[in-house]
Amino acid sequence: DTAVSQTPKYLVTQMGNDKSIKCEQNLGHDTMYWYKQDSKKFLKIMFSYNNKELIINETVPNRFSPKSPDKAHLNLHINSLELGDSAVYFCASSQDLGLDNEQFFGPGTRLTVL
Amino acid sequence: GEDVEQSLFLSVREGDSSVINCTYTDSSSTYLYWYKQEPGAGLQLLTYIFSNMDMKQDQRLTVLLNKKDKHLSLRIADTQTGDSAIYFCAGLDRMEYGNKLVFGAGTILRVKS
């Protein structure tokens, strides 16, 4: 049983296109996150949602729009893709916003913008 | 906010001990974490330490925390080839409406047989 799943695993697209990455967790968690890992493996948080509400937005361009239709899903839509958006995007979830809650990560989506 | 730094690369022989080091800036970080990322995979939480602890041991893993120097280390005893991965140190940055993990750049551990 997959705890945190993401689709697609790989995404190759042209500059200027709009694309979405989906994330689902079956852990019953309240909080979900999106992280971006660049080519140098540097990992940085983009967004966090708690109970479908945006909690953290780390100065991400507004071309990135997360959407949480329910607590189990946090999708990431990206408009007008740029070369610099090429990265691996990880979704994660945790029980809630508590300090001692482990974050469970999905397998990642490798986005390549040509 | 929190800032975390790590050494970038470590190479050891199978059976030796590995020590991965990390420094952080925010002394109010309540928790500090070690994550492992295997090639092509997501992150897996290895262990964490609460800020009021100096050491935590979990099987082959030992975490040492020096709060005075804001230094965190992960020691892997009897390192195996399956331990080859990227290891991320992370601190918890407490914000008004939520908490976020701040990751170091990652240390690539290469285990030679």
Side-chain angles (χ1 to χ4, degrees):
Chain A
D1 288 342
T2 303
V4 182
S5 59
Q6 298 178 225
T7 53
K9 190 172 174 62
Y10 300 97
L11 183 55
V12 181
T13 188
Q14 300 285 337
M15 275 176 57
N17 285 349
D18 303 338
K19 291 293 178 184
S20 293
I21 306 171
K22 295 185 177 181
C23 177
E24 177 181 2
Q25 52 94 4
N26 62 5
L27 299 166
H29 287 169
D30 287 345
T31 308
M32 296 184 73
Y33 312 80
W34 276 109
Y35 289 85
K36 178 181 180 181
Q37 186 176 42
D38 63 24
S39 58
K40 296 182 181 177
K41 302 297 184 184
F42 188 65
L43 191 68
K44 188 172 181 182
I45 191 167
M46 300 172 69
F47 301 102
S48 78
Y49 269 69
N50 188 61
N51 280 320
K52 302 194 300 176
E53 289 189 18
L54 179 67
I55 301 297
I56 293 173
N57 180 341
E58 282 291 290
T59 59
V60 178
N62 57 15
R63 296 183 296 105
F64 290 79
S65 51
K67 286 186 173 49
S68 183
D70 53 59
K71 286 196 316 182
H73 296 85
L74 181 62
N75 303 322
L76 184 64
H77 188 76
I78 315 170
N79 289 328
S80 303
L81 278 155
E82 300 178 358
L83 293 176
D85 297 333
S86 294
V88 181
Y89 292 83
F90 287 100
C91 177
S93 73
S94 63
Q95 182 65 52
D96 51 42
L97 293 170
L99 295 176
D100 58 348
N101 289 322
E102 178 182 351
Q103 290 188 22
F104 293 81
F105 283 79
T109 295
R110 182 175 293 277
L111 171 65
T112 303
V113 182
L114 303 175
Chain B
E2 180 69 276
D3 191 21
V4 179
E5 293 190 0
Q6 308 178 226
S7 48
L8 293 181
F9 186 77
L10 177 65
S11 180
V12 299
R13 292 195 178 280
E14 193 173 16
D16 288 350
S17 291
S18 307
V19 179
I20 302 171
N21 295 302
C22 169
T23 57
Y24 60 97
T25 57
D26 189 350
S27 58
S28 66
S29 282
T30 315
Y31 288 88
L32 294 152
Y33 305 83
W34 284 103
Y35 281 83
K36 177 183 179 182
Q37 184 180 28
E38 296 183 4
L43 277 78
Q44 173 195 357
L45 179 64
L46 282 180
T47 186
Y48 65 90
I49 189 166
F50 191 54
S51 60
N52 69 353
M53 300 168 66
D54 298 323
M55 185 182 88
K56 180 179 179 181
Q57 186 153 4
D58 184 0
Q59 299 182 334
R60 292 190 298 121
L61 305 178
T62 302
V63 179
L64 294 177
L65 176 60
N66 181 329
K67 290 183 283 294
K68 175 175 170 291
D69 295 338
K70 297 180 188 172
H71 182 265
L72 182 74
S73 67
L74 174 70
R75 179 177 179 270
I76 306 173
D78 187 24
T79 313
Q80 304 297 307
T81 54
D83 294 325
S84 292
I86 304 176
Y87 290 80
F88 291 93
C89 168
L92 196 65
D93 201 354
R94 299 177 67 173
M95 304 167 69
E96 184 178 356
Y97 295 108
N99 308 305
K100 65 174 184 178
L101 285 174
V102 178
F103 287 87
T107 299
I108 299 171
L109 174 63
R110 179 184 166 218
V111 182
K112 295 177 285 188
S113 57

